[in-house]
Amino acid sequence: MSGVAPVRVGVVGLGRWARVLTRAARRGQRLEVVAGYSRSPEKREAFAREFGCRVVERYEELLEDPTIEGVMVTTPNDAHAEPILQALAAGKHVYVDKPIAHTVEEGLRIAQAVERSDRVFAVGHSARRLAGVRHIRRALEAGDVGELVMAEANFSNERGLELTPQSWRWYADKSPGGPLIQLGVHHVDTLRYLFGPVVAVTALTKRLHTRAEVEDVTMTLLEFAAGHLGYVGSAWACPGV
């Protein structure tokens, strides 16, 4: 990448994950985070202090800036759609943290907007970029593991026990599926990356242990187009797995 100017981006939603991504961008040479937006003055001030970049009081200021080429959307799941649609309409490239949206309807709206756009649209499924997952992919491609019939994955932790009504993840209409949409979604993508398209899905979700509105135990079965089966487990009331 030597000699290639980094892509200049703005961030909308300045919580913990925005800071994680901005720190990661600073370790590389491909992105330069130049501005940030949040409705919260406190979050704007904290982001500006940590990274020394410009913060704005209106999201439109990012979109109207011709020097900003792309937008990173790190808002809560139920607030993904509008910032994405606005950014694409303004001619910006878009990165959004997983999941794309919290409902199928909003996901379809975004997909249609992406199809109409000539901009790059990327979703932050980070698990498929882990070294171990890439090693598994190479082993599969080399035929080192024999014939595949079933794949299993689990992503669970105890964070559901820490939820309070002050967190958007507490509420069923904002985070449907609980750990499935927050944790299990990573391995739905991982298994799809490793084993190809999925043609059928069956899922069970229950709220058994946590006080929040959302489910805390989920089990999902996948049927792949190639014929084999997969399982993704995800819980929010157990030690990290």
Side-chain angles (χ1 to χ4, degrees), residues 32-65:
E32 181 184 2
V33 176
V34 297
Y37 164 73
S38 170
R39 291 180 298 179
S40 164
E42 294 78 15
K43 289 183 178 179
R44 292 198 300 265
E45 292 168 7
F47 194 82
R49 280 197 306 271
E50 180 172 355
F51 300 108
C53 65
R54 179 167 62 102
V55 291
V56 297
E57 296 183 3
R58 297 186 307 115
Y59 181 43
E60 288 74 15
E61 291 182 56
L62 292 184
L63 303 182
E64 293 165 359
D65 187 337

Side-chain angles (χ1 to χ4, degrees), residues 118-185:
D118 63 350
R119 302 291 87 182
V120 173
F121 179 74
V123 183
H125 284 295
S126 54
R128 69 161 62 190
R129 293 172 173 81
L130 296 173
V133 175
R134 295 299 177 98
H135 179 78
I136 294 170
R137 173 74 175 257
R138 289 193 296 270
L140 289 167
E141 290 174 343
D144 293 340
V145 294
E147 182 179 355
L148 179 72
V149 294
M150 185 178 73
E152 297 179 276
N154 194 299
F155 192 174
S156 302
N157 61 35
E158 74 290 344
R159 290 181 185 170
L161 302 175
E162 303 168 1
L163 294 176
T164 69
Q166 285 68 51
S167 169
W168 60 268
R169 294 177 178 85
W170 173 280
Y171 298 99
D173 62 336
K174 294 180 177 296
S175 187
L180 177 58
I181 202 169
Q182 295 295 328
L183 305 179
V185 65

Side-chain angles (χ1 to χ4, degrees), residues 86-240:
Q86 289 177 264
L88 291 171
K92 308 297 186 185
H93 304 295
V94 177
Y95 168 98
V96 62
D97 191 35
K98 61 76 199 164
I100 294 174
H102 78 311
T103 68
V104 172
E105 291 77 11
E106 289 200 341
L108 291 173
R109 286 178 63 204
I110 293 167
Q112 291 164 0
V114 171
E115 289 176 359
R116 294 192 299 267
S117 171
D118 63 350
R119 302 291 87 182
V120 173
F121 179 74
V123 183
H125 284 295
S126 54
R128 69 161 62 190
R129 293 172 173 81
L130 296 173
V133 175
R134 295 299 177 98
H135 179 78
I136 294 170
R137 173 74 175 257
R138 289 193 296 270
L140 289 167
E141 290 174 343
D144 293 340
V145 294
E147 182 179 355
L148 179 72
V149 294
M150 185 178 73
E152 297 179 276
N154 194 299
F155 192 174
S156 302
N157 61 35
E158 74 290 344
R159 290 181 185 170
L161 302 175
E162 303 168 1
L163 294 176
T164 69
Q166 285 68 51
S167 169
W168 60 268
R169 294 177 178 85
W170 173 280
Y171 298 99
D173 62 336
K174 294 180 177 296
S175 187
L180 177 58
I181 202 169
Q182 295 295 328
L183 305 179
V185 65
H186 279 294
H187 285 324
V188 171
D189 177 72
T190 301
L191 295 185
R192 189 172 177 276
Y193 167 69
L194 293 174
F195 309 125
V198 174
V199 296
V201 178
T202 301
L204 292 174
T205 66
K206 295 196 75 172
R207 184 167 70 90
L208 297 176
H209 301 290
T210 60
R211 294 179 297 127
E213 292 180 0
V214 295
E215 298 91 337
D216 52 34
V217 178
T218 74
M219 295 184 175
T220 305
L221 299 178
L222 311 172
E223 180 183 358
F224 295 90
H228 42 265
L229 302 179
Y231 163 78
V232 176
S234 186
W236 240 354
C238 70

Side-chain angles (χ1 to χ4, degrees), residues 75-93:
T75 54
N77 295 349
D78 67 318
H80 279 181
E82 291 309 316
I84 292 171
L85 297 173
Q86 289 177 264
L88 291 171
K92 308 297 186 185
H93 304 295

